């Protein structure tokens, strides 16, 4: 299975996926940490994380998959939402809470 196929399978089979540096319990950059904090502030505690530092192919592949150059990247119900700045703006506007309302605990 190609990296692109693996990424597609991951985002389509999990309601919330965050491609990030590190893990939810030990983020390896401030942007990834902020993304985790925003998801938790929205009440979403059950989400899949993919540590892009663990696999160089995934690290490059996710950028090609989304046509987005930075990490972290959030996917909800198979759709690309954006990175930490977009997540923050959506959170401030209440849009992210609306998007995640049926996935919050």
């Amino acid at each position: 299975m190609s990296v692109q196929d693996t990424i597609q399978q991951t985002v389509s089979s999990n309601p919330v996926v965050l491609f990030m540096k590190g893990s939810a319990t030990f983020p390896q950059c401030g942007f990834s940490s902020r993304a985790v904090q925003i998801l938790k502030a929205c009440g979403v505690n059950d989400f899949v994380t993919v540590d892009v530092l663990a696999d160089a192919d995934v690290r490059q592949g996710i950028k090609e998959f989304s046509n987005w150059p930075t990490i972290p990247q959030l996917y909800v119900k198979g759709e690309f939402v954006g990175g930490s700045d977009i997540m923050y703006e959506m959170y401030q506007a209440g849009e992210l809470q609306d998007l995640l309302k049926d996935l919050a605990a």
Side-chain angles (χ1 to χ4, degrees):
M1 184 180 295
S2 76
V3 170
Q4 297 298 312
D5 292 337
T6 301
I7 292 168
Q8 178 63 51
Q9 182 179 19
T10 301
V11 300
S12 62
S13 61
N14 297 287
V16 181
V17 180
L18 182 64
F19 288 84
M20 62 180 290
K21 294 178 181 175
S23 66
T25 56
F26 194 67
Q28 296 291 304
C29 82
F31 295 111
S32 291
S33 179
R34 181 163 66 166
V36 169
Q37 290 172 346
I38 290 169
L39 286 174
K40 290 183 178 182
C42 289
V44 179
N45 296 309
D46 185 21
F47 55 94
V48 171
T49 60
V50 178
D51 180 2
V52 300
L53 298 176
D55 187 328
D57 291 336
V58 171
R59 185 168 50 250
Q60 183 58 37
I62 191 62
K63 294 173 185 178
E64 295 166 2
F65 182 81
S66 63
N67 197 28
W68 192 261
T70 60
I71 302 296
Q73 292 186 17
L74 176 66
Y75 290 80
V76 176
K77 298 177 185 173
E79 297 294 322
F80 176 61
V81 175
S84 65
D85 290 344
I86 290 172
M87 289 175 66
Y88 183 71
E89 289 177 20
M90 289 178 71
Y91 175 74
Q92 292 290 359
E95 296 170 6
L96 193 59
Q97 295 88 322
D98 290 343
L99 179 65
L100 297 168
K101 67 184 169 202
D102 51 328
L103 300 170

